[in-house]
Amino acid sequence: MRSGSNLEQALESGRFAVTAEIGPPRSASAERIRTHARQMKGCADAFNLTDNQTAMSRMSSIACAVVLLQDGLEPVVQMTCRDRNRIALQGDVLGASALGVRNILCLSGDHQTFGSMKEAKNVYDLDSIQLLMVLRRMRDEGKLWSGDELEVAPKLFLGAAANPFADPFEYRVIRLAKKIKAGADFIQTQSIYDMQRFERWMSLVREKGLHQKVHILAGVMPLKSHKTALYMKNKVSGMCVPDSIIDRLRRASDPKEEGIQMCVEQIQHLRDIEGIRGVHIMAPAWEEKVPEIVRRAGLSSIS
Amino acid sequence: MIVGEQKPLEEIFRMLSGHERILVAGCRSCVAVCHAGGEKEVSILAEALRLRASLANHPWKVEEITVERQCEREWVEAMGPLVKGKDAVLSLACGVGAQTVQVLYPRIRVLPGLNTSHMGAPDMPGVFVEKCGGCGDCLLHLTGGICPIARCAKSLLNGPCGGSQNGRCEISPEVPCAWDQIVRSLEAMGRSDLLEEPIPPKSWLTARDGGPRRTVIPTAVISEEQRKMKGERP
């Protein structure tokens, strides 16, 4: 065990793991995080906390993670390279580890032009792959990237993202391999709607044996209406939403129920794909639905 | 080349208020190529200032000059007779040129008539695209001849982020994804293998982050004695 986290234990034991996402509030109060924690406790092995998602300042992912820990939930802290340089990132990881955080997801981060402070200066001192390299050295060698020894090394389970729906398509598998080489223990994918393309990607992943080297959690996101689906298709970068999904939601008498049902079906489908070791459920501003999705998908074996 | 754009006229007018004798100084190098600060632009702007002066009753007396390179002392020294007696030099050179003028004429206010945009090249007539980030440690041999520092919105060194689609960057469909171009370029030259090895964190010491940079070419440095012989100031 590298970190001893629940998530690591679940994945190492071979049990189909579940992670879910919680969006930190644009607030100085942690009340909403506590509400989500009460609603979601027990429905997933660990909970991702996004890091200034869509380049908008929110409560820090590490602070939210500590709130979750206080309530007995296990966090996955997302860290983006957009806002901090290697000095701040390493310092934050030491602090997070001291406070009990074990799972860290390394991301480059949405460009700041997506947020409400487009004029901000970005950092990108490291990219996501370099962040993995840096954190792995901290964990395995007990050293900062500079080579300075740490008194106590952090215990970390390192994650990264993969987006099979971004281009160039063939390169996406090379990039996954690179992330594994750099230190990724687990992967969470972008939300999957185009199952055909995802399967094509997974078969390339298996061809290279990458599914044996890293735990892949497939990303899903329930849609509330055909308008949300259209928005995802047209406005969110790196997303593929097939028209059949948009049509199905448009025709539905209860689009929200249809969205949940579709998500449940997707999870059941993904469970049967060789090499998928778990599912990552993202329901921004719809977190309360996650327990129902987990139950209906028959993922009830979570501790 | 250095690409610059003329500041909006209203901004230039505001900068010039309170001044009387003005020299508009152009540069025949980079900024002339990007139609921002060459002889032609100098004469158009000078004319605009004269027109504005007569319409708005400004006391502006405007003269003009364009030198070969405003970033080099020798050319800027030659401006001396025209600079003499002026309140302000409105420099249509890049920021480097404007600063060279300021160093040589410390009592005169040098005002920037251009915004220095980036280091780029003409992509098609009238369109100039940033090509180099000036990081001081070139990686083009690893990236198919395309600079990810300047041309990727996130300066990523290990491939396209999850926002790259159909060869476009996530920040705008107008912006090509540099990494999409890198992947294609390396494929075309049969060097896709270069994509597989993670590139470790870069040293930014040679970039702006390491402080203002200075380049010394030992063979070109002249001795104190030679400088005296040339009559240069110490």
Side-chain angles (χ1 to χ4, degrees):
Chain A
M1 284 287 165
R2 285 164 166 164
S3 71
S5 74
N6 287 342
L7 182 60
E8 184 178 11
Q9 282 171 15
L11 288 167
E12 290 292 334
S13 75
R15 182 163 62 70
F16 196 78
V18 178
T19 55
E21 196 158 286
I22 297 178
R26 216 179 306 156
S27 166
S29 159
E31 221 23 68
R32 204 150 64 71
I33 292 290
R34 293 216 160 81
T35 307
H36 288 322
R38 274 196 300 278
Q39 287 166 342
M40 295 166 88
K41 189 167 185 173
C43 81
D45 295 285
F47 298 85
N48 279 51
L49 295 147
T50 52
D51 180 12
N52 293 323
Q53 194 177 352
T54 63
M56 194 166 317
S57 294
R58 293 163 195 271
M59 187 175 290
S60 86
S61 53
I62 294 173
C64 292
V66 173
V67 174
L68 285 196
L69 283 166
Q70 288 166 351
D71 285 356
L73 284 78
E74 180 171 294
V76 177
V77 163
Q78 298 197 177
M79 295 193 104
T80 68
C81 298
R82 176 192 59 233
D83 309 321
R84 285 162 291 182
N85 67 8
R86 67 190 77 179
I87 302 170
L89 287 164
Q90 290 175 91
D92 282 353
V93 165
L94 291 176
S97 180
L99 293 167
V101 171
R102 296 289 167 262
N103 310 306
I104 292 192
L105 188 76
C106 301
L107 302 167
S108 56
D110 292 325
H111 195 265
Q112 77 277 5
T113 50
F114 286 92
S116 53
M117 287 162 277
K118 301 180 196 311
E119 73 284 10
K121 185 171 181 179
N122 66 32
V123 184
Y124 295 116
D125 172 27
L126 304 178
D127 61 30
S128 55
I129 288 174
Q130 294 166 341
L131 181 58
L132 284 165
M133 297 167 94
V134 169
L135 300 191
R136 180 168 62 180
R137 179 180 286 189
M138 289 175 77
R139 177 190 69 196
D140 294 351
E141 298 173 34
K143 285 177 182 167
L144 294 177
W145 184 251
S146 57
D148 296 323
E149 300 274 347
L150 296 167
E151 275 175 42
V152 177
K155 291 193 173 71
L156 303 172
F157 193 47
L158 296 175
N163 185 3
F165 310 103
D167 294 319
F169 179 73
E170 288 72 21
Y171 178 73
R172 292 294 146 185
V173 180
I174 301 176
R175 184 153 162 90
L176 175 68
K178 224 165 155 175
K179 288 191 171 182
I180 298 168
K181 227 184 226 180
D185 302 312
F186 70 99
I187 296 290
Q188 291 171 325
T189 77
Q190 175 64 289
S191 40
I192 300 155
Y193 298 107
D194 185 342
M195 207 50 90
Q196 267 185 342
R197 179 154 162 164
F198 185 70
E199 298 229 34
R200 209 148 43 91
W201 182 74
M202 274 308 291
S203 73
L204 292 175
V205 168
R206 286 191 301 267
E207 234 170 71
K208 290 196 176 255
L210 300 177
H211 64 307
Q212 315 278 20
K213 294 184 183 164
V214 76
H215 303 289
I216 300 173
L217 290 96
V220 291
M221 187 188 286
L223 296 166
K224 283 181 179 167
S225 68
H226 79 275
K227 281 186 186 153
T228 331
L230 275 174
Y231 179 83
M232 293 282 173
K233 179 183 175 171
N234 298 325
K235 300 275 183 210
V236 180
S237 66
M239 273 290 195
C240 276
V241 186
D243 291 337
S244 58
I245 284 187
I246 299 165
D247 289 342
R248 185 170 158 187
L249 285 166
R250 189 187 282 123
R251 284 198 311 269
S253 56
D254 182 350
K256 286 188 176 174
E257 163 54 28
E258 197 70 21
I260 299 287
Q261 179 56 31
M262 217 148 57
C263 184
V264 168
E265 288 168 20
Q266 281 165 339
I267 294 174
Q268 285 162 342
H269 183 115
L270 290 162
R271 260 189 112 156
D272 292 334
I273 297 177
E274 193 194 339
I276 296 297
R277 314 288 281 273
V279 68
H280 175 53
I281 307 169
M282 292 164 268
W286 215 14
E287 281 96 342
E288 71 275 12
K289 283 289 178 188
V290 174
E292 183 187 333
I293 294 169
V294 170
R295 187 168 34 79
R296 283 169 61 175
L299 304 168
S300 50
S301 57
I302 291 154
S303 48
Chain B
M1 61 188 262
I2 294 178
V3 180
E5 271 178 291
Q6 203 176 101
K7 281 181 180 282
L9 276 179
E10 285 303 325
E11 191 183 338
I12 293 176
F13 294 155
R14 277 198 302 277
M15 281 194 299
L16 288 173
S17 94
H19 299 91
E20 205 175 314
R21 286 150 300 168
I22 299 156
L23 178 65
V24 182
C27 176
R28 282 200 191 91
S29 298
C30 315
V31 295
V33 180
C34 60
H35 312 276
E39 202 142 24
K40 186 172 143 205
E41 292 75 30
V42 164
S43 95
I44 293 169
L45 182 63
E47 208 44 45
L49 293 177
R50 288 181 197 112
L51 196 61
R52 174 75 175 196
S54 67
L55 289 173
N57 224 2
H58 287 307
W60 298 341
K61 288 187 198 64
V62 181
E63 287 183 70
E64 43 192 280
I65 185 174
T66 300
V67 297
E68 209 56 36
R69 279 189 291 282
Q70 230 183 85
C71 55
E72 287 186 66
R73 265 167 195 261
E74 287 76 3
W75 298 102
V76 176
E77 269 166 359
M79 286 165 55
L82 263 179
V83 174
K84 205 169 171 229
K86 298 289 185 296
D87 302 328
V89 173
L90 180 64
S91 168
L92 291 197
C94 67
V96 183
Q99 291 186 57
T100 305
V101 176
Q102 186 69 80
V103 166
L104 287 178
Y105 309 105
R107 289 167 192 280
I108 292 180
R109 236 181 133 206
V110 176
L111 304 168
L114 294 194
N115 291 320
T116 307
S117 307
H118 54 82
M119 284 183 272
D123 208 32
M124 54 172 122
V127 180
F128 296 83
V129 178
E130 182 163 22
K131 296 277 159 108
C132 170
C135 72
D137 182 16
C138 201
L139 292 164
L140 290 171
H141 57 300
L142 299 175
T143 57
I146 292 150
C147 173
I149 308 291
R151 295 172 69 183
C152 165
K154 301 178 185 173
S155 297
L156 303 184
L157 294 182
N158 280 293
C161 72
S164 166
Q165 265 182 330
N166 302 317
R168 302 278 115 182
C169 173
E170 71 173 27
I171 64 162
S172 159
E174 305 285 307
V175 179
C177 167
W179 271 99
D180 184 84
Q181 296 179 324
I182 292 169
V183 169
R184 284 177 207 296
S185 167
L186 288 171
E187 269 169 11
M189 55 182 81
R191 289 307 308 269
S192 299
D193 58 298
L194 289 173
L195 294 166
E196 290 175 22
E197 211 40 51
I199 297 179
K202 182 175 169 67
S203 166
W204 298 101
L205 266 177
T206 52
R208 243 295 305 169
D209 310 75
R213 289 167 279 181
R214 180 182 156 96
T215 303
V216 179
I217 297 143
T219 50
V221 174
I222 59 172
S223 69
E224 199 62 38
E225 205 170 310
Q226 285 169 310
R227 284 170 58 138
K228 273 185 200 143
M229 278 166 64
K230 284 185 76 185
E232 279 186 26
R233 306 167 222 200

